[in-house]
Amino acid sequence: MSEGDESAALTELAKRRGFFFGSSEAYGGVGGFYTYGPQGAALKSNVEEAWRERFAVQEGNLEIEAPTIMPEPVFEASGHLDGFDDMLVECAECGESHRADHLIEDNSDLEDAETLSPEEAAEKIADLGLVCPTCGADLAGQSVEDFNLMFETNIGPGSSTPGYLRPETAQGIFVEFPRIKEYARNSLPFGVTQVGRAYRNEISPRKSIVRTREFTQAELEHFIDPERDEADLSAVEDVEVLLYPATEQEADDGDYVETTIGEAVEDGVIGNAWLGYFLGIAQEWYETVGVDMDRFRFRQHLAGERAHYSSDCWDAESEVDGDWIEIAGFSYRSDYDLSKHGEYGDDDFTVFQQYDEPKTVERAVVDPDMATLGPEFGAQAADVAEALETLAERDPDAFDADEVTLDIDGEEITVDTDVANFSVETQTEAGEHITPHVVEPSFGIDRTVYTLLAHAYETDEVDGEARSYLSLSPSVAPTNVGVFPLVSNVDELVDLADDVAAELRAAGFAVVYDDSGSIGRRYRRQDEVGTPFCITIDRDGLEGDGANTVTIRERDSGKQVRLPVDDLVGTLVGLRAGTASFDDVLDENEVVEA
């Protein structure tokens, strides 16, 4: 399928079969918002549950659900109000706004235009002779501006509190860290997960659910002591990965690095073992849920791409329609987030780490004479005392002089050293308070859904007729089983079909019951929405040696096998979990000619 055709075919199928479609179409629609139909909602829910099972349950992590609206100070602390921007260029003719880096990437070989400054982007637009995609007017000479992506709102009536819709679920975890650490018994390392909505006021939403203004994230914030906690790579060291490091992207003859997680960490290609650990887990998880691993890679961020909080970041990317799209990010956020919230918030964002044995240390301390500081500095006295304590920790030699100079809100203040009552004391300490570092795997659920649909979309020919189908993994397919009585006017067939459907639903399978039209047409309907197995109840299953049997058909191959009704649940459980293959079922049962 040629470039462009894949997305067009997928979008048409998604709308016709109820996976996703533009929201509020009765009112003209609004860009960047999508509604998931019955098939899409089920697929998305299954992906979320598969992620939760692997990254929360199997890893032994906690899960929370925080509000999607948070007060302004949260985002002042996090840096989003100042640094969460994309580059905007506005057409002077029609007034339409466009994302400058996307225009450049779409019309040149440059793949990382977001690393450009606004001034460099404006120059590039002029050099390339780019025009407005809406009206065709020349964009050369138009300024490129930073545009903050935050959705602003007000909390409460009257003189309300400014608030923002969260641009990532992570801040809900960081803000609640002082309480969550108690649930984790103040014992590092520990992880906290959250699956939920996030919002970004995108300049130019595009490619259906790939870039939207409301989307679902699945994020894990893994808190560690960087001095004591080491990642155990034994479970993932042999996982094979395709890496695209920054050094290769910047080289004239750069290429992919095919390696294993263990080798990549040992060779320094992946500089942080914790990032390597989560890349290994993600590689295996994506393969399990059905991503085509021939169209998958991990790409390291270039220096200009990294978010303000990240010291290193790798993206999981999938190829769709000739383009690579980010579907997850793996970032080492160091102690940026907790330090910032500790600075701005009124709570303790540290964890007390007890030493194996108590330590005797010399500690520089001050005991400021408030009777002197109060009259001399008035309302600033407390700030002066705090500054003296900070200076003693940072530079105790400064107190060798007769006086010290402090910076209080930009104002230089001089204090006599004897007022500080500086001394060096020998103390026995049982432990220390540390600000944990954070390793963050952040998954885009909507983009994962889009990738699964794109990678699963197949066409072939069956009985001389063209067929399109979704080769979705049974673990995430929106419907697990189709149940069909061969004809609807034979009571015995209908009764058995009803019983089979009820038994499968009771066992936790999503079942569709269909008695309308030819059996071939019913198969095609289920193939097109990705139902992996269809069960047909026919006369041969009611009489003679075949009594109380049904046929089960596998979607991709179209092969069928007859097996007892009593074996149905156990067989389908194994097929859905991946512990058995359909070839195993074929080997053990009577094959039926289509």
Side-chain angles (χ1 to χ4, degrees):
M1 191 174 291
S2 64
E3 291 187 14
D5 291 345
E6 186 174 25
S7 289
L10 185 57
T11 300
E12 187 276 333
L13 172 66
K15 187 172 184 178
R16 177 165 52 82
R17 288 301 187 190
F19 283 96
F20 59 82
F21 47 87
S23 297
S24 305
E25 291 182 342
Y27 291 88
V30 57
F33 295 93
Y34 280 81
T35 295
Y36 283 89
Q39 299 294 339
L43 173 58
K44 180 171 178 282
S45 177
N46 290 343
V47 171
E48 291 172 7
E49 285 305 311
W51 186 91
R52 182 177 282 110
E53 170 65 23
R54 183 63 191 88
F55 288 88
V57 177
Q58 291 187 33
E59 290 298 300
N61 292 323
L62 308 174
E63 181 175 5
I64 71 163
E65 182 177 349
T68 58
I69 295 176
M70 305 177 78
E72 185 176 60
V74 169
F75 301 109
E76 290 178 353
S78 69
H80 283 89
L81 290 186
D82 294 328
F84 198 63
D85 304 314
D86 278 339
M87 291 184 288
L88 177 149
V89 60
E90 184 175 310
C91 176
E93 290 293 325
C94 68
E96 284 292 316
S97 296
H98 306 284
R99 187 164 162 178
D101 55 322
H102 285 174
L103 289 179
I104 294 169
E105 291 172 357
D106 291 344
N107 294 277
S108 72
D109 294 331
L110 192 63
E111 296 181 356
D112 55 351
E114 64 182 293
T115 64
L116 301 174
S117 69
E119 294 75 22
E120 290 170 333
E123 291 177 7
K124 197 71 175 176
I125 287 173
D127 292 343
L128 293 170
L130 300 186
V131 299
C132 173
T134 304
C135 71
D138 191 356
L139 292 176
Q142 298 302 308
S143 63
V144 175
E145 307 289 343
D146 281 330
F147 174 76
N148 192 278
L149 302 179
M150 301 279 285
F151 275 108
E152 185 175 7
T153 186
N154 293 307
I155 303 172
S159 56
S160 53
T161 301
Y164 291 86
L165 277 69
R166 65 185 184 193
E168 59 179 8
T169 65
Q171 294 309 316
I173 296 175
F174 297 139
V175 167
E176 308 304 343
F177 180 81
R179 186 175 296 274
I180 296 172
K181 70 181 182 182
E182 302 296 332
Y183 304 146
R185 302 185 306 280
N186 286 285
S187 179
L188 295 173
F190 69 87
V192 183
T193 64
Q194 184 169 199
V195 180
R197 296 284 187 162
Y199 305 84
R200 298 179 185 179
N201 195 13
E202 293 285 350
I203 295 168
S204 51
R206 60 179 185 173
K207 211 161 192 173
S208 64
I209 59 173
V210 170
R211 185 172 295 279
T212 57
R213 291 179 168 128
E214 179 183 18
F215 52 94
T216 299
Q217 286 183 312
E219 293 193 302
L220 162 60
E221 308 304 326
H222 191 70
F223 299 98
I224 64 170
D225 179 345
E227 300 298 324
R228 301 171 68 178
D229 297 329
E230 296 183 1
D232 180 2
L233 296 180
S234 59
V236 297
E237 60 185 349
D238 294 328
V239 173
E240 297 179 351
V241 287
L242 184 67
L243 304 179
Y244 198 18
T247 52
E248 294 296 321
Q249 297 171 56
E250 294 168 334
D252 292 336
D253 58 348
D255 201 355
Y256 295 129
V257 175
E258 296 184 57
T259 184
T260 64
I261 290 294
E263 291 170 350
V265 172
E266 183 177 352
D267 296 340
V269 178
I270 300 174
N272 181 281
W274 282 107
L275 286 178
Y277 175 75
F278 287 114
L279 291 183
I281 289 178
Q283 172 84 18
E284 294 183 319
W285 182 78
Y286 276 123
E287 185 170 7
T288 298
V289 297
V291 172
D292 182 352
M293 303 317 288
D294 290 332
R295 303 164 69 183
F296 179 84
R297 71 184 185 186
F298 290 112
R299 185 183 70 84
Q300 188 178 27
H301 277 206
L302 300 174
E305 286 182 273
R306 290 199 297 267
H308 58 275
Y309 50 72
S310 178
S311 61
D312 190 19
C313 186
W314 291 77
D315 284 344
E317 296 185 331
S318 65
E319 184 274 318
V320 177
D321 216 6
D323 294 328
W324 288 98
I325 61 173
E326 173 196 351
I327 56 178
F330 301 80
S331 179
Y332 190 83
R333 300 177 73 129
S334 67
D335 63 353
Y336 174 87
D337 302 281
L338 296 185
S339 293
K340 282 294 186 179
H341 287 300
E343 177 185 343
Y344 281 76
D346 187 20
D347 214 327
D348 181 9
F349 288 81
T350 67
V351 171
F352 183 76
Q353 290 285 77
Q354 190 163 344
Y355 298 139
D356 294 334
E357 295 182 359
K359 294 182 179 180
T360 300
V361 298
E362 290 188 339
R363 185 78 65 199
V365 297
V366 293
D367 183 18
D369 182 357
M370 299 306 294
T372 301
L373 294 182
E376 184 173 352
F377 297 107
Q380 289 184 307
D383 293 334
V384 171
E386 184 177 347
L388 288 169
E389 293 172 1
T390 301
L391 181 61
E393 294 176 7
R394 188 183 74 246
D395 184 16
D397 292 341
F399 291 86
D400 291 342
D402 293 333
E403 57 185 24
V404 294
T405 301
L406 308 172
D407 185 331
I408 307 295
D409 296 330
E411 177 186 356
E412 285 194 353
I413 291 178
T414 302
V415 178
D416 291 340
T417 305
D418 57 0
V419 175
N421 289 322
F422 174 84
S423 64
V424 177
E425 297 179 356
T426 299
Q427 299 178 350
T428 299
E429 297 181 346
E432 63 179 328
H433 286 272
I434 70 157
T435 302
H437 284 208
V438 177
V439 186
E440 178 193 70
S442 174
F443 289 68
I445 295 296
D446 308 85
R447 293 184 178 194
T448 300
V449 168
Y450 188 85
T451 294
L452 293 178
L453 290 173
H455 288 190
Y457 187 84
E458 302 282 356
T459 58
D460 63 5
E461 190 173 287
V462 175
D463 298 331
E465 294 185 3
R467 175 181 76 138
S468 62
Y469 64 100
L470 292 175
S471 184
L472 292 169
S473 167
S475 65
V476 297
T479 303
N480 303 127
V481 188
V483 174
F484 310 145
L486 187 61
V487 293
S488 59
N489 58 357
V490 176
D491 290 344
E492 293 87 348
L493 292 181
V494 172
D495 289 344
L496 181 55
D498 288 342
D499 290 344
V500 166
E503 182 180 5
L504 291 175
R505 289 181 178 127
F509 290 94
V511 177
V512 61
Y513 184 99
D514 190 353
D515 60 3
S516 174
S518 69
I519 194 67
R521 188 176 298 276
R522 283 182 265 178
Y523 285 152
R524 299 298 175 271
R525 284 198 287 261
Q526 295 311 308
D527 291 345
E528 202 166 34
V529 296
T531 303
F533 307 106
C534 289
I535 294 168
T536 302
I537 290 85
D538 57 15
R539 290 183 183 275
D540 290 341
L542 298 176
E543 303 166 351
D545 294 338
N548 209 38
T549 64
V550 296
T551 65
I552 178 170
R553 171 187 179 270
E554 196 264 340
R555 174 198 59 215
D556 294 0
S557 66
K559 293 180 179 178
Q560 300 180 54
V561 66
R562 182 174 295 279
L563 72 165
V565 171
D566 291 344
D567 293 347
L568 259 182
V569 170
T571 299
L572 288 170
V573 166
L575 290 171
R576 182 174 61 179
T579 57
S581 70
F582 199 72
D583 286 340
D584 297 331
V585 180
L586 289 173
D587 291 341
E588 297 169 3
N589 296 277
E590 176 191 351
V591 177
V592 178
E593 293 297 325

